[in-house]
Amino acid sequence: MNTSSRIAIVGAGPGGLTLARLLHLQGLDVSVFEREAGAQARPQGGTLDLHEDSGLEALRRAGLFEAFKVHARYDDQGTRLLDRHGRLRFDDPGPTEGGRPEIDRSALRGLLLESLPAACVHWGHALREARALPDGRWTLVFAGGEAGPFDLVVGADGAGSRLRPLLSAYQPQYSGLTFVEFGIDDIDAAHPALSRLVGKGKLVVEGDGKSIIAQRNGNAHVRGYAIFRVPAGWAAARFDFASPAAVRAGLVREYEGFAPQVLDLFRASNDAFMARPIHALPVGHHWTHRRGLTLIGDAAHLMSPFAGEGVNAAMHDALALARQLGCGADWDLAVATFEAAMFERVVEAAQASADGAATHLSHDGLALTEALYRSHLEAAAMPAR
């Protein structure tokens, strides 16, 4: 397989596709290689909230903000916090416009794909190897053949990046937290009481060293997570994921003593259960620059989800890298400059994510969570300077 493209992006997630769109607008010939067989090969995960100076700014620069607003849910930005008895500890309905609008991950991926030439994304290309050439360019090796050479290869291939080891010896480490994901379909019509319980946005229930997060998605779907602080591999040993009924019953047992209406979240769930151990790269992760190769998004700075910064950081990476590549002909200097700025920029978000993972489900986790939400509410109420 031959291609004349000078830039390759490995991974068709939000970060990789945002970068491809921005580079396409700059007139650059870019190829995206994705291991999945197609855009609908697997569920893309839950809802995302995009932030003004990162995810939303990237969409504006990509000329996709109006298309985004078609899919965005501005009225699903609320947060409710309950204790295990179902008592309300915090309730913020959130703004109905502005703020950090939600969008389903699948919808975001769809609008990014629609903005690219059909031939830009190469599906079914699981990377096996990246070979460095003597002139600093790279050849990519897939099961079906080779592609290249490329002047620049960008790893946007997520937590298990195949390109990261070429730059860094660090591997993501288990945070001590495991999520068991579940979903509730057609919640408004089929489970109106649970719909009211979840509210508009996100419901958090915490107590007895466990928590539940339920997030409203589009099309009246709620995606939930039962969260445990346990050793790695605990969920696979604890639950029979081949039997949804067994997982459902097991979750009810694990949360014995929680309010009946909270346990109904598990009883109403569909059959799509999945264990998600939470991993992260160390705060301050960086590498020595190497010609023709770089990383963005989770491949570069995988974080826990507790600061809500993952997709926004990835899209900010895409925006920053595209800007540097558009500044002049010296791509090697452009990438080195981008990396240095990225390493510094993501430290605050990575630290907040690490702190969130460390304190979640602590002995006073409920009080800490409530204090955090109240501080966010107070900060949002402060007048802009």
Side-chain angles (χ1 to χ4, degrees), residues 2-350:
N2 296 316
T3 177
S4 60
S5 301
R6 297 179 65 202
I7 301 177
I9 299 170
V10 179
L17 293 176
T18 299
L19 178 59
R21 168 64 177 176
L22 292 167
L23 296 178
H24 173 66
L25 290 178
Q26 293 174 195
L28 298 173
D29 189 7
V30 59
S31 295
V32 180
F33 298 95
E34 169 56 50
R35 66 180 179 179
E36 293 175 4
Q40 306 301 323
R42 67 173 180 86
Q44 291 303 301
T47 187
L48 304 167
D49 62 302
L50 298 190
H51 304 173
E52 184 61 42
D53 59 353
S54 50
L56 294 178
E57 179 63 15
L59 289 178
R60 288 191 179 93
R61 295 290 181 175
L64 298 174
F65 188 67
E66 293 304 315
F68 163 78
K69 290 196 294 185
V70 174
H71 300 279
R73 303 193 314 281
Y74 285 87
D75 57 349
D76 279 352
Q77 300 183 64
T79 299
R80 308 186 77 221
L81 174 65
L82 308 181
D83 65 18
R84 69 185 185 93
H85 302 292
R87 294 182 295 226
L88 187 65
R89 298 286 294 264
F90 176 83
D91 188 7
D92 173 21
T96 56
E97 58 184 24
R100 297 179 172 184
E102 301 281 340
I103 185 172
D104 284 4
R105 186 179 289 268
S106 57
L108 177 61
R109 190 189 210 190
L111 73 89
L112 287 166
L113 285 171
E114 290 171 4
S115 74
L116 294 169
C120 178
V121 181
H122 303 267
W123 300 100
H125 282 68
L127 182 68
R128 288 189 171 181
E129 182 184 358
R131 294 177 183 162
L133 302 177
D135 61 1
R137 295 185 297 171
W138 294 81
T139 294
L140 300 181
V141 181
F142 305 95
E146 299 181 357
F150 296 101
D151 293 278
L152 175 62
V153 175
V154 181
D157 50 342
S161 173
R162 296 296 299 271
L163 291 169
R164 188 192 301 118
L166 296 172
L167 293 170
S168 168
Y170 285 100
Q171 292 293 322
Q173 298 298 306
Y174 177 56
S175 67
L177 296 173
T178 290
F179 290 17
V180 176
E181 181 180 312
F182 62 95
I184 303 174
D185 300 321
D186 196 21
I187 191 169
D188 297 334
H191 308 283
L194 289 179
S195 178
R196 292 189 294 272
L197 183 72
V198 172
K200 289 288 189 179
K202 176 177 67 177
L203 170 71
V204 180
V205 187
E206 192 164 345
D208 284 355
K210 306 180 186 72
S211 69
I212 303 166
I213 296 176
Q215 295 177 307
R216 189 173 286 273
N217 288 216
N219 302 311
H221 181 76
V222 163
R223 189 178 298 266
Y225 306 93
I227 305 177
F228 306 89
R229 186 170 292 281
V230 289
W234 174 87
R238 194 76 163 186
F239 301 105
D240 178 10
F241 285 96
S243 170
V247 178
R248 198 176 289 112
L251 288 172
V252 171
R253 285 195 301 272
E254 291 293 334
Y255 285 80
E256 183 179 0
F258 278 59
Q261 65 268 33
V262 172
L263 297 180
D264 284 344
L265 292 166
F266 301 136
R267 298 186 179 104
S269 61
N270 59 28
D271 290 346
F273 293 99
M274 181 177 297
R276 294 192 180 276
I278 303 302
H279 292 75
L281 285 163
V283 176
H285 176 245
H286 62 280
W287 55 85
T288 300
H289 173 68
R290 187 173 183 181
R291 185 179 183 88
L293 184 64
T294 194
L295 307 172
I296 66 172
D298 285 351
H301 41 68
L302 178 67
M303 311 172 196
S304 81
F306 288 99
E309 292 288 349
V311 71
N312 289 284
M315 295 174 75
H316 196 159
D317 293 346
L319 179 60
L321 180 55
R323 282 173 170 165
Q324 287 295 330
L325 293 173
C327 287
D330 190 342
W331 282 9
D332 191 48
L333 177 60
V335 173
T337 302
F338 155 75
E339 289 174 338
M342 176 183 65
F343 296 151
E344 182 176 348
R345 168 172 49 84
V346 300
V347 166
E348 182 178 356

